[in-house]
Coordinates of all heavy atoms in Angstrom, one line a residue:
M1 N 88.8 229.1 -286.9 CA 87.4 229.2 -286.6 C 87.1 230.5 -285.9 O 87.9 230.9 -285.0 CB 87.1 228.0 -285.7 CG 85.6 227.9 -285.3 SD 85.2 226.3 -284.6 CE 84.9 226.8 -282.9
R2 N 86.1 231.1 -286.2 CA 85.7 232.4 -285.7 C 84.7 232.3 -284.6 O 83.6 231.6 -284.9 CB 85.3 233.3 -286.8 CG 85.0 234.7 -286.4 CD 84.8 235.6 -287.6 NE 84.4 236.9 -287.1 CZ 83.9 237.8 -287.9 NH1 83.6 237.5 -289.2 NH2 83.6 239.0 -287.4
G3 N 84.9 232.8 -283.5 CA 83.9 232.7 -282.4 C 83.1 234.0 -282.3 O 83.3 234.9 -283.0
G4 N 82.1 234.0 -281.4 CA 81.3 235.1 -281.3 C 80.1 234.8 -280.4 O 79.8 233.7 -280.1
L5 N 79.4 235.8 -280.0 CA 78.2 235.7 -279.2 C 77.1 236.2 -280.0 O 77.1 237.4 -280.4 CB 78.4 236.5 -277.9 CG 77.2 236.6 -277.0 CD1 76.9 235.3 -276.4 CD2 77.4 237.7 -275.9
A6 N 76.1 235.4 -280.3 CA 74.9 235.8 -281.0 C 73.9 236.3 -280.1 O 73.7 235.8 -279.0 CB 74.3 234.6 -281.8
V7 N 73.2 237.4 -280.5 CA 72.2 238.0 -279.6 C 70.9 238.1 -280.4 O 70.9 238.4 -281.6 CB 72.7 239.5 -279.3 CG1 71.6 240.1 -278.4 CG2 74.0 239.5 -278.6
A8 N 69.8 237.7 -279.8 CA 68.5 237.7 -280.5 C 68.2 239.1 -280.9 O 68.4 240.1 -280.2 CB 67.5 237.2 -279.5
D9 N 67.7 239.2 -282.1 CA 67.4 240.6 -282.6 C 66.1 241.1 -282.3 O 65.8 242.3 -282.5 CB 67.6 240.6 -284.2 CG 66.7 239.7 -284.9 OD1 65.8 239.1 -284.3 OD2 66.8 239.5 -286.1
G10 N 65.2 240.3 -281.7 CA 63.9 240.8 -281.2 C 62.9 241.3 -282.3 O 62.0 242.0 -282.0
D11 N 63.1 240.9 -283.6 CA 62.2 241.4 -284.6 C 60.9 240.5 -284.7 O 60.1 240.7 -285.5 CB 62.9 241.5 -285.9 CG 63.4 240.2 -286.5 OD1 63.1 239.1 -285.9 OD2 64.1 240.2 -287.5
D12 N 60.9 239.4 -283.9 CA 59.7 238.6 -283.7 C 59.2 238.0 -285.1 O 58.1 237.9 -285.4 CB 58.5 239.4 -283.1 CG 57.6 238.6 -282.3 OD1 58.0 237.4 -281.9 OD2 56.4 239.0 -282.1
D13 N 60.2 237.6 -285.9 CA 59.9 237.0 -287.2 C 59.8 235.4 -287.0 O 59.6 234.7 -288.0 CB 60.9 237.3 -288.2 CG 62.3 236.9 -287.9 OD1 62.5 236.2 -286.8 OD2 63.2 237.1 -288.7
G14 N 59.8 234.9 -285.8 CA 59.6 233.5 -285.6 C 60.9 232.7 -285.7 O 61.0 231.5 -285.4
E15 N 62.0 233.4 -286.1 CA 63.3 232.7 -286.3 C 63.9 232.6 -284.9 O 63.9 233.6 -284.2 CB 64.2 233.4 -287.3 CG 65.5 232.7 -287.5 CD 66.3 233.3 -288.6 OE1 65.7 234.2 -289.3 OE2 67.5 233.0 -288.7
A16 N 64.5 231.5 -284.6 CA 65.1 231.3 -283.3 C 66.6 231.8 -283.3 O 67.5 231.1 -283.1 CB 65.1 229.8 -282.9
V17 N 66.7 233.1 -283.6 CA 68.0 233.7 -283.6 C 68.6 233.7 -282.2 O 67.9 234.0 -281.2 CB 67.9 235.2 -284.1 CG1 69.3 235.9 -284.0 CG2 67.4 235.2 -285.5
G18 N 69.9 233.3 -282.1 CA 70.5 233.3 -280.8 C 70.5 231.9 -280.2 O 71.2 231.6 -279.2
H19 N 69.8 231.0 -280.7 CA 69.8 229.6 -280.2 C 70.8 228.8 -281.1 O 70.9 229.1 -282.3 CB 68.4 229.0 -280.3 CG 67.4 229.6 -279.4 ND1 67.3 229.4 -278.1 CD2 66.5 230.6 -279.7 CE1 66.4 230.1 -277.6 NE2 65.9 230.9 -278.5
F20 N 71.4 227.8 -280.4 CA 72.4 227.1 -281.1 C 71.9 226.3 -282.4 O 72.6 226.2 -283.4 CB 73.1 226.0 -280.2 CG 73.9 226.7 -279.1 CD1 73.5 226.7 -277.8 CD2 75.1 227.4 -279.5 CE1 74.3 227.3 -276.9 CE2 75.9 228.0 -278.5 CZ 75.4 228.0 -277.2
N21 N 70.7 225.9 -282.4 CA 70.2 225.2 -283.5 C 69.8 226.1 -284.7 O 69.6 225.6 -285.8 CB 68.9 224.3 -283.2 CG 67.8 225.2 -282.6 OD1 68.0 226.4 -282.4 ND2 66.7 224.5 -282.4
A22 N 69.8 227.4 -284.5 CA 69.5 228.3 -285.6 C 70.6 229.3 -285.8 O 70.4 230.4 -286.4 CB 68.2 229.0 -285.4
Y23 N 71.8 229.0 -285.3 CA 72.9 230.0 -285.3 C 73.3 230.3 -286.8 O 73.6 229.4 -287.5 CB 74.0 229.5 -284.5 CG 75.2 230.4 -284.5 CD1 75.2 231.6 -283.9 CD2 76.4 230.0 -285.2 CE1 76.3 232.5 -283.9 CE2 77.5 230.9 -285.2 CZ 77.4 232.1 -284.5 OH 78.5 232.9 -284.6
N24 N 73.3 231.6 -287.1 CA 73.8 232.0 -288.4 C 74.6 233.3 -288.2 O 74.1 234.3 -287.9 CB 72.6 232.3 -289.3 CG 73.0 232.8 -290.7 OD1 74.2 233.1 -291.0 ND2 72.0 232.9 -291.6
P25 N 76.0 233.2 -288.3 CA 76.8 234.3 -288.0 C 76.6 235.5 -288.9 O 77.1 236.6 -288.6 CB 78.2 233.7 -288.1 CG 78.1 232.5 -289.0 CD 76.7 232.0 -288.7
A26 N 75.9 235.3 -290.1 CA 75.7 236.4 -291.0 C 74.5 237.2 -290.6 O 74.2 238.3 -291.2 CB 75.6 235.9 -292.4
R27 N 73.7 236.8 -289.7 CA 72.5 237.5 -289.3 C 72.5 237.9 -287.8 O 73.0 237.2 -287.0 CB 71.2 236.6 -289.5 CG 71.0 236.3 -291.0 CD 69.6 236.3 -291.4 NE 68.8 237.3 -290.7 CZ 67.5 237.1 -290.4 NH1 66.9 236.0 -290.8 NH2 66.8 238.0 -289.8
G28 N 71.9 239.0 -287.6 CA 71.7 239.5 -286.2 C 72.9 240.2 -285.6 O 73.9 240.4 -286.3
W29 N 72.9 240.5 -284.4 CA 74.0 241.2 -283.7 C 75.0 240.1 -283.2 O 74.6 239.1 -282.8 CB 73.4 241.9 -282.5 CG 72.6 243.1 -282.8 CD1 71.3 243.2 -283.0 CD2 73.2 244.4 -283.1 NE1 70.9 244.5 -283.3 CE2 72.1 245.3 -283.4 CE3 74.5 245.0 -283.2 CZ2 72.2 246.6 -283.8 CZ3 74.6 246.3 -283.5 CH2 73.5 247.1 -283.8
R30 N 76.2 240.5 -283.2 CA 77.3 239.6 -282.8 C 78.4 240.4 -282.0 O 78.6 241.6 -282.3 CB 78.0 238.9 -283.9 CG 77.2 237.9 -284.6 CD 78.0 237.3 -285.8 NE 79.3 236.9 -285.5 CZ 79.7 235.7 -285.0 NH1 78.7 234.8 -284.8 NH2 80.9 235.4 -284.8
L31 N 79.0 239.8 -281.1 CA 80.2 240.3 -280.4 C 81.3 239.4 -280.8 O 81.3 238.2 -280.5 CB 80.0 240.4 -278.9 CG 78.9 241.3 -278.4 CD1 78.8 241.1 -276.9 CD2 79.1 242.7 -278.8
D32 N 82.4 239.9 -281.4 CA 83.5 239.1 -281.8 C 84.8 239.7 -281.2 O 84.9 240.9 -281.1 CB 83.7 239.0 -283.3 CG 82.7 238.2 -284.1 OD1 82.3 237.2 -283.5 OD2 82.4 238.5 -285.2
R33 N 85.7 238.8 -280.9 CA 87.1 239.3 -280.5 C 87.7 240.0 -281.7 O 87.5 239.6 -282.9 CB 87.9 238.2 -280.1 CG 87.5 237.6 -278.8 CD 88.5 236.6 -278.2 NE 89.7 237.3 -277.9 CZ 90.8 236.7 -277.4 NH1 90.8 235.4 -277.2 NH2 91.9 237.4 -277.2
I34 N 88.4 241.0 -281.5 CA 89.1 241.7 -282.5 C 90.4 241.0 -282.8 O 91.3 240.8 -281.9 CB 89.4 243.2 -282.1 CG1 88.1 243.9 -281.9 CG2 90.3 243.9 -283.2 CD1 88.3 245.4 -281.4
P35 N 90.6 240.5 -284.0 CA 91.8 239.7 -284.3 C 93.1 240.6 -284.1 O 93.1 241.8 -284.4 CB 91.7 239.4 -285.8 CG 90.2 239.5 -286.1 CD 89.7 240.6 -285.2
G36 N 94.1 240.0 -283.5 CA 95.3 240.7 -283.3 C 95.4 241.6 -282.1 O 96.4 242.1 -281.7
R37 N 94.2 241.8 -281.4 CA 94.2 242.6 -280.2 C 94.1 241.7 -279.0 O 93.2 240.9 -278.9 CB 93.0 243.6 -280.2 CG 92.9 244.5 -281.4 CD 93.4 245.9 -281.1 NE 93.0 246.5 -279.8 CZ 91.9 247.3 -279.7 NH1 91.1 247.6 -280.7 NH2 91.6 247.8 -278.5
R38 N 95.0 241.8 -278.1 CA 95.1 240.9 -276.9 C 94.3 241.5 -275.8 O 94.1 242.7 -275.7 CB 96.6 240.8 -276.5 CG 97.4 240.2 -277.6 CD 98.9 240.0 -277.2 NE 99.0 239.1 -276.1 CZ 99.5 237.9 -276.3 NH1 100.0 237.5 -277.4 NH2 99.5 237.0 -275.2
I39 N 94.0 240.6 -274.9 CA 93.4 241.0 -273.6 C 94.5 241.7 -272.8 O 95.6 241.3 -272.9 CB 93.0 239.7 -272.8 CG1 91.8 239.0 -273.5 CG2 92.6 240.1 -271.4 CD1 91.4 237.7 -272.9
R40 N 94.1 242.8 -272.2 CA 95.1 243.6 -271.5 C 94.7 243.9 -270.0 O 93.5 243.9 -269.8 CB 95.5 244.9 -272.2 CG 94.4 245.9 -272.3 CD 94.8 247.0 -273.2 NE 93.8 248.1 -273.1 CZ 94.0 249.3 -272.7 NH1 95.2 249.7 -272.5 NH2 93.0 250.2 -272.7
R41 N 95.6 244.0 -269.2 CA 95.4 244.3 -267.8 C 95.3 245.8 -267.6 O 96.2 246.6 -268.1 CB 96.5 243.7 -266.9 CG 96.2 243.9 -265.5 CD 97.3 243.3 -264.7 NE 97.2 243.5 -263.3 CZ 97.0 242.6 -262.3 NH1 97.1 241.3 -262.7 NH2 96.9 242.9 -261.1
I42 N 94.3 246.3 -266.9 CA 94.1 247.7 -266.7 C 94.4 248.0 -265.2 O 93.7 247.5 -264.3 CB 92.6 248.1 -267.0 CG1 92.2 247.7 -268.4 CG2 92.4 249.6 -266.8 CD1 93.0 248.4 -269.5
E43 N 95.4 248.8 -265.0 CA 95.7 249.2 -263.6 C 95.1 250.6 -263.4 O 95.1 251.5 -264.2 CB 97.2 249.3 -263.4 CG 97.9 248.0 -263.7 CD 97.7 247.0 -262.6 OE1 97.2 247.3 -261.5 OE2 98.0 245.8 -262.8
T44 N 94.7 250.8 -262.2 CA 94.2 252.2 -261.8 C 94.9 252.6 -260.5 O 95.3 251.8 -259.7 CB 92.6 252.2 -261.5 OG1 92.4 251.4 -260.4 CG2 91.9 251.6 -262.7
P45 N 95.0 253.9 -260.4 CA 95.7 254.4 -259.1 C 94.7 254.5 -258.0 O 95.1 255.0 -256.9 CB 96.2 255.8 -259.6 CG 95.2 256.2 -260.6 CD 94.8 255.0 -261.3
Y46 N 93.5 254.1 -258.2 CA 92.5 254.3 -257.1 C 92.1 253.0 -256.4 O 92.0 252.0 -257.1 CB 91.2 254.9 -257.7 CG 91.4 256.1 -258.6 CD1 91.3 256.0 -259.9 CD2 91.7 257.3 -258.0 CE1 91.5 257.1 -260.7 CE2 92.0 258.4 -258.8 CZ 91.9 258.3 -260.2 OH 92.1 259.4 -261.0
E47 N 92.0 253.0 -255.1 CA 91.7 251.8 -254.4 C 90.3 251.4 -254.7 O 90.0 250.2 -254.6 CB 91.8 252.1 -252.9 CG 93.3 252.1 -252.4 CD 93.4 252.2 -250.9 OE1 92.5 251.7 -250.2 OE2 94.3 252.8 -250.5
S48 N 89.4 252.3 -255.0 CA 88.0 252.0 -255.2 C 87.8 251.3 -256.6 O 86.8 250.7 -256.9 CB 87.1 253.2 -255.1 OG 87.5 254.1 -256.1
A49 N 88.8 251.4 -257.5 CA 88.7 250.8 -258.8 C 90.0 249.9 -259.0 O 91.0 250.3 -259.5 CB 88.7 251.8 -259.9
P50 N 89.9 248.6 -258.5 CA 91.0 247.7 -258.6 C 91.3 247.3 -260.0 O 90.6 247.6 -261.0 CB 90.5 246.5 -257.8 CG 89.1 246.5 -257.9 CD 88.7 248.0 -257.9
A51 N 92.4 246.6 -260.2 CA 92.9 246.2 -261.5 C 91.8 245.4 -262.2 O 91.0 244.7 -261.5 CB 94.1 245.4 -261.4
A52 N 91.7 245.4 -263.5 CA 90.8 244.7 -264.3 C 91.4 244.2 -265.6 O 92.5 244.6 -265.9 CB 89.6 245.5 -264.6
L53 N 90.7 243.3 -266.2 CA 91.2 242.8 -267.6 C 90.2 243.4 -268.6 O 89.0 243.5 -268.3 CB 91.2 241.3 -267.6 CG 92.2 240.6 -266.7 CD1 92.2 239.1 -266.9 CD2 93.6 241.1 -267.0
E54 N 90.7 243.7 -269.7 CA 89.8 244.3 -270.8 C 90.0 243.4 -272.1 O 91.1 243.2 -272.6 CB 90.3 245.7 -271.0 CG 89.4 246.5 -271.9 CD 89.8 247.9 -272.0 OE1 90.7 248.2 -272.8 OE2 89.3 248.7 -271.2
L55 N 88.8 242.9 -272.6 CA 88.8 242.2 -273.8 C 88.2 243.0 -274.9 O 87.1 243.5 -274.8 CB 87.9 240.9 -273.6 CG 87.6 240.1 -274.8 CD1 88.8 239.4 -275.4 CD2 86.6 239.0 -274.4
P56 N 89.0 243.3 -276.0 CA 88.5 244.2 -277.1 C 87.6 243.4 -277.9 O 87.8 242.2 -278.3 CB 89.8 244.5 -277.8 CG 90.9 243.6 -277.4 CD 90.4 243.0 -276.1
L57 N 86.4 244.0 -278.3 CA 85.4 243.3 -279.1 C 84.9 244.2 -280.3 O 85.0 245.4 -280.2 CB 84.2 243.0 -278.2 CG 84.4 242.1 -277.1 CD1 83.2 242.1 -276.1 CD2 84.7 240.7 -277.5
W58 N 84.5 243.5 -281.3 CA 83.8 244.2 -282.4 C 82.3 244.0 -282.2 O 81.9 242.9 -281.8 CB 84.1 243.5 -283.7 CG 85.3 244.0 -284.4 CD1 85.9 245.3 -284.3 CD2 86.1 243.3 -285.4 NE1 87.0 245.4 -285.1 CE2 87.2 244.2 -285.8 CE3 86.1 242.0 -285.9 CZ2 88.1 243.8 -286.7 CZ3 87.0 241.7 -286.8 CH2 88.0 242.5 -287.2
I59 N 81.5 245.0 -282.5 CA 80.1 244.9 -282.4 C 79.6 244.9 -283.9 O 79.9 245.8 -284.6 CB 79.4 246.0 -281.6 CG1 80.0 246.0 -280.2 CG2 77.9 245.9 -281.7 CD1 79.6 247.3 -279.4
V60 N 79.0 243.8 -284.3 CA 78.6 243.5 -285.7 C 77.2 243.2 -285.8 O 76.6 242.5 -285.0 CB 79.5 242.3 -286.2 CG1 79.2 242.1 -287.7 CG2 81.0 242.6 -286.1
R61 N 76.5 243.7 -286.8 CA 75.1 243.4 -287.1 C 75.0 243.0 -288.6 O 75.4 243.7 -289.5 CB 74.2 244.5 -286.8 CG 72.7 244.1 -287.1 CD 71.7 245.0 -286.7 NE 70.4 244.4 -286.8 CZ 69.3 245.0 -286.6 NH1 69.3 246.3 -286.3 NH2 68.1 244.4 -286.8
D62 N 74.5 241.8 -288.8 CA 74.3 241.3 -290.2 C 75.6 241.3 -291.0 O 75.6 241.7 -292.1 CB 73.2 242.0 -290.9 CG 71.8 241.8 -290.2 OD1 71.6 240.7 -289.6 OD2 70.9 242.7 -290.4
G63 N 76.7 241.0 -290.3 CA 78.0 241.0 -291.0 C 78.7 242.3 -291.1 O 79.8 242.4 -291.7
E64 N 78.0 243.4 -290.7 CA 78.6 244.8 -290.9 C 79.1 245.3 -289.5 O 78.3 245.3 -288.6 CB 77.5 245.7 -291.5 CG 78.0 247.1 -291.7 CD 76.9 248.0 -292.3 OE1 76.0 247.5 -293.0 OE2 76.9 249.2 -291.9
H65 N 80.3 245.8 -289.5 CA 80.9 246.3 -288.3 C 80.2 247.6 -287.9 O 80.0 248.5 -288.8 CB 82.4 246.6 -288.5 CG 83.1 247.2 -287.4 ND1 83.3 248.6 -287.4 CD2 83.6 246.8 -286.3 CE1 83.9 248.9 -286.2 NE2 84.1 247.8 -285.6
H66 N 79.8 247.7 -286.7 CA 79.1 248.9 -286.2 C 80.0 249.7 -285.2 O 80.0 250.9 -285.2 CB 77.8 248.6 -285.5 CG 76.7 248.4 -286.5 ND1 75.8 249.4 -286.9 CD2 76.3 247.3 -287.2 CE1 75.0 248.9 -287.8 NE2 75.3 247.6 -288.0
A67 N 80.7 249.0 -284.4 CA 81.6 249.7 -283.4 C 82.5 248.8 -282.7 O 82.4 247.6 -282.9 CB 80.7 250.3 -282.3
D68 N 83.5 249.3 -282.1 CA 84.4 248.6 -281.2 C 83.9 248.7 -279.8 O 83.3 249.7 -279.4 CB 85.8 249.1 -281.3 CG 86.5 248.8 -282.6 OD1 85.9 248.1 -283.4 OD2 87.6 249.4 -282.8
G69 N 84.1 247.7 -279.0 CA 83.7 247.7 -277.6 C 84.7 247.0 -276.8 O 85.7 246.5 -277.3
R70 N 84.5 247.0 -275.5 CA 85.4 246.4 -274.5 C 84.5 245.7 -273.5 O 83.5 246.2 -273.0 CB 86.3 247.4 -273.8 CG 87.2 248.1 -274.8 CD 88.1 249.1 -274.0 NE 87.4 250.0 -273.2 CZ 87.0 251.2 -273.6 NH1 87.3 251.6 -274.8 NH2 86.4 252.0 -272.8
L71 N 85.0 244.5 -273.1 CA 84.4 243.8 -272.0 C 85.4 243.9 -270.8 O 86.5 243.4 -271.0 CB 84.1 242.4 -272.3 CG 83.6 241.5 -271.1 CD1 82.3 242.0 -270.6 CD2 83.5 240.0 -271.6
R72 N 85.1 244.6 -269.8 CA 86.0 244.7 -268.6 C 85.5 243.7 -267.5 O 84.3 243.6 -267.2 CB 86.0 246.1 -268.0 CG 86.8 247.0 -268.7 CD 87.2 248.2 -267.9 NE 88.1 249.0 -268.7 CZ 88.5 250.2 -268.3 NH1 88.1 250.7 -267.1 NH2 89.3 250.9 -269.1
M73 N 86.5 242.9 -267.0 CA 86.2 242.0 -265.9 C 87.2 242.2 -264.8 O 88.4 242.5 -265.1 CB 86.4 240.6 -266.4 CG 85.4 240.1 -267.5 SD 85.8 238.4 -268.0 CE 87.2 238.7 -269.0
S74 N 86.7 242.1 -263.6 CA 87.6 242.2 -262.5 C 88.5 241.0 -262.5 O 88.2 240.0 -263.2 CB 86.8 242.3 -261.1 OG 86.2 241.0 -260.9
L75 N 89.6 241.0 -261.7 CA 90.4 239.8 -261.7 C 89.7 238.6 -261.1 O 89.9 237.5 -261.6 CB 91.7 240.1 -260.9 CG 92.6 241.2 -261.5 CD1 93.8 241.4 -260.7 CD2 93.0 240.9 -262.9
A76 N 88.8 238.8 -260.2 CA 88.0 237.7 -259.6 C 87.1 237.1 -260.7 O 86.9 235.9 -260.8 CB 87.2 238.2 -258.4
E77 N 86.5 238.0 -261.5 CA 85.6 237.5 -262.6 C 86.4 236.8 -263.6 O 86.0 235.7 -264.1 CB 84.9 238.7 -263.2 CG 83.8 239.3 -262.4 CD 83.3 240.6 -262.9 OE1 84.1 241.4 -263.6 OE2 82.1 240.9 -262.8
E78 N 87.6 237.2 -263.9 CA 88.5 236.6 -264.9 C 88.9 235.2 -264.3 O 88.9 234.2 -265.1 CB 89.7 237.4 -265.1 CG 90.6 236.8 -266.2 CD 91.6 235.8 -265.7 OE1 92.0 235.9 -264.5 OE2 91.9 234.9 -266.4
E79 N 89.2 235.1 -263.1 CA 89.6 233.8 -262.5 C 88.4 232.8 -262.6 O 88.6 231.6 -262.9 CB 90.0 234.0 -261.0 CG 91.4 234.6 -260.9 CD 91.7 234.9 -259.5 OE1 90.9 234.6 -258.6 OE2 92.8 235.5 -259.3
Q80 N 87.2 233.3 -262.3 CA 86.0 232.4 -262.4 C 85.8 232.0 -263.9 O 85.5 230.8 -264.2 CB 84.8 233.1 -261.9 CG 83.5 232.3 -262.0 CD 83.6 231.1 -261.1 OE1 84.1 231.1 -260.0 NE2 83.0 230.0 -261.5
L81 N 85.9 232.9 -264.8 CA 85.8 232.6 -266.3 C 86.9 231.5 -266.7 O 86.6 230.6 -267.4 CB 85.9 233.8 -267.1 CG 85.9 233.6 -268.6 CD1 84.5 233.0 -269.0 CD2 86.1 234.9 -269.4
H82 N 88.1 231.7 -266.2 CA 89.2 230.8 -266.5 C 88.9 229.4 -266.0 O 89.0 228.4 -266.7 CB 90.5 231.3 -265.9 CG 91.6 230.4 -266.1 ND1 92.0 229.4 -265.2 CD2 92.5 230.2 -267.2 CE1 93.0 228.8 -265.7 NE2 93.4 229.2 -266.9
A83 N 88.4 229.3 -264.8 CA 88.0 228.0 -264.2 C 86.9 227.4 -265.0 O 87.0 226.2 -265.3 CB 87.6 228.2 -262.8
E84 N 85.9 228.1 -265.4 CA 84.8 227.6 -266.2 C 85.2 227.1 -267.6 O 84.8 226.1 -268.1 CB 83.6 228.6 -266.3 CG 82.9 228.8 -265.0 CD 81.8 229.9 -265.0 OE1 81.3 230.1 -266.1 OE2 81.6 230.5 -264.0
L85 N 86.1 227.9 -268.2 CA 86.6 227.6 -269.5 C 87.5 226.3 -269.4 O 87.4 225.4 -270.3 CB 87.4 228.7 -270.2 CG 86.5 229.9 -270.7 CD1 87.4 231.0 -271.1 CD2 85.6 229.5 -271.8
S86 N 88.3 226.2 -268.4 CA 89.1 225.1 -268.2 C 88.3 223.8 -268.1 O 88.7 222.8 -268.6 CB 90.0 225.3 -267.0 OG 91.0 226.3 -267.2
L87 N 87.2 223.9 -267.3 CA 86.4 222.7 -267.1 C 85.7 222.3 -268.4 O 85.6 221.2 -268.8 CB 85.4 223.0 -266.0 CG 85.9 222.9 -264.6 CD1 84.8 223.3 -263.6 CD2 86.5 221.6 -264.3
A88 N 85.3 223.4 -269.2 CA 84.6 223.1 -270.5 C 85.6 222.5 -271.5 O 85.2 221.7 -272.3 CB 84.0 224.4 -271.0
L89 N 86.8 222.8 -271.4 CA 87.9 222.3 -272.3 C 88.6 221.1 -271.7 O 89.6 220.6 -272.3 CB 88.8 223.4 -272.7 CG 88.3 224.5 -273.4 CD1 89.3 225.7 -273.5 CD2 87.8 224.1 -274.8
A90 N 88.2 220.6 -270.5 CA 88.9 219.5 -269.8 C 89.1 218.3 -270.7 O 88.2 217.8 -271.5 CB 88.1 219.1 -268.6
D91 N 90.3 217.8 -270.7 CA 90.7 216.6 -271.4 C 90.1 215.3 -270.7 O 89.9 214.3 -271.4 CB 92.2 216.5 -271.6 CG 92.8 217.5 -272.5 OD1 92.0 218.0 -273.4 OD2 93.9 217.9 -272.4
D92 N 90.0 215.4 -269.4 CA 89.6 214.2 -268.7 C 88.2 214.5 -268.0 O 88.2 215.0 -266.9 CB 90.6 213.9 -267.6 CG 90.3 212.6 -266.9 OD1 89.3 212.0 -267.2 OD2 91.2 212.2 -266.1
A93 N 87.2 214.2 -268.7 CA 85.8 214.5 -268.2 C 85.5 213.6 -267.0 O 84.6 214.0 -266.3 CB 84.8 214.3 -269.4
T94 N 86.1 212.5 -266.8 CA 85.8 211.6 -265.7 C 86.2 212.2 -264.4 O 85.5 212.1 -263.4 CB 86.4 210.3 -265.9 OG1 87.8 210.4 -266.0 CG2 85.9 209.6 -267.1
T95 N 87.3 212.9 -264.4 CA 87.8 213.5 -263.1 C 87.4 215.0 -263.0 O 87.5 215.5 -261.9 CB 89.3 213.4 -263.0 OG1 89.9 214.2 -264.0 CG2 89.8 212.0 -263.0
G96 N 87.1 215.6 -264.1 CA 86.8 217.0 -264.1 C 88.0 217.9 -263.9 O 87.9 219.1 -263.8
R97 N 89.2 217.3 -264.0 CA 90.4 218.1 -263.9 C 90.9 218.6 -265.2 O 91.1 217.8 -266.1 CB 91.5 217.2 -263.2 CG 91.3 217.0 -261.8 CD 92.6 216.5 -261.1 NE 93.0 215.2 -261.7 CZ 92.8 214.0 -261.2 NH1 92.2 213.9 -260.0 NH2 93.2 212.9 -261.8
P98 N 90.9 219.9 -265.4 CA 91.3 220.4 -266.7 C 92.8 220.3 -266.9 O 93.6 220.3 -266.0 CB 90.9 221.8 -266.7 CG 90.9 222.2 -265.3 CD 90.5 220.9 -264.5
A99 N 93.2 220.1 -268.1 CA 94.7 220.2 -268.5 C 94.9 221.6 -269.0 O 94.5 221.9 -270.1 CB 95.0 219.2 -269.5
C100 N 95.5 222.5 -268.2 CA 95.7 223.9 -268.7 C 96.6 223.9 -269.9 O 97.5 223.1 -270.0 CB 96.3 224.7 -267.6 SG 95.1 225.2 -266.3
R101 N 96.2 224.7 -270.8 CA 96.9 224.7 -272.1 C 97.8 225.9 -272.2 O 97.6 226.9 -271.8 CB 95.9 224.7 -273.3 CG 95.0 223.5 -273.2 CD 93.9 223.7 -274.1 NE 92.8 222.8 -273.8 CZ 92.7 221.6 -274.3 NH1 93.5 221.1 -275.2 NH2 91.7 220.8 -273.9

């Protein structure tokens, strides 16, 4: 299964692009993970720029690749994302305790 983030194209044609009920991966702008490219940790020698994680992405419009991009997150942002994803994928919804995979 291929994931991605749909972005409304703003052409005001009345189509609900970007909403889950009208999602069409072949239309509009998308951000997809690049297959085979892993998330990597970025270390810097500067105290003002602490370590971060970098997620490689493809920028695609109407199914056509336009560019590669990166999403950089601080380690604190990554920890928050991990917690939110774990809760969303929780096996036990009654306790809210995720089973890390």
Side-chain angles (χ1 to χ4, degrees):
M1 184 166 109
R2 188 172 173 193
L5 172 68
V7 180
D9 61 6
D11 63 7
D12 210 19
D13 61 2
E15 186 176 343
V17 176
H19 295 279
F20 290 110
N21 61 352
Y23 177 69
N24 180 351
R27 293 222 31 212
W29 289 96
R30 291 178 49 87
L31 299 174
D32 285 330
R33 290 190 64 181
I34 299 175
R37 301 258 320 263
R38 299 180 67 107
I39 295 173
R40 64 187 188 124
R41 184 179 176 120
I42 307 297
E43 300 286 346
T44 66
Y46 310 106
E47 285 185 34
S48 62
L53 295 179
E54 188 174 86
L55 173 64
L57 298 169
W58 274 334
I59 302 170
V60 179
R61 181 171 188 188
D62 297 332
E64 182 180 326
H65 175 264
H66 280 266
D68 290 350
R70 296 181 306 268
L71 172 63
R72 278 200 179 175
M73 294 180 285
S74 70
L75 296 181
E77 291 169 324
E78 183 278 327
E79 288 173 1
Q80 180 65 37
L81 177 61
H82 178 265
E84 291 177 27
L85 289 171
S86 294
L87 287 173
L89 297 170
D91 290 335
D92 188 355
T94 59
T95 65
R97 286 193 300 258
C100 285
R101 301 168 199 266

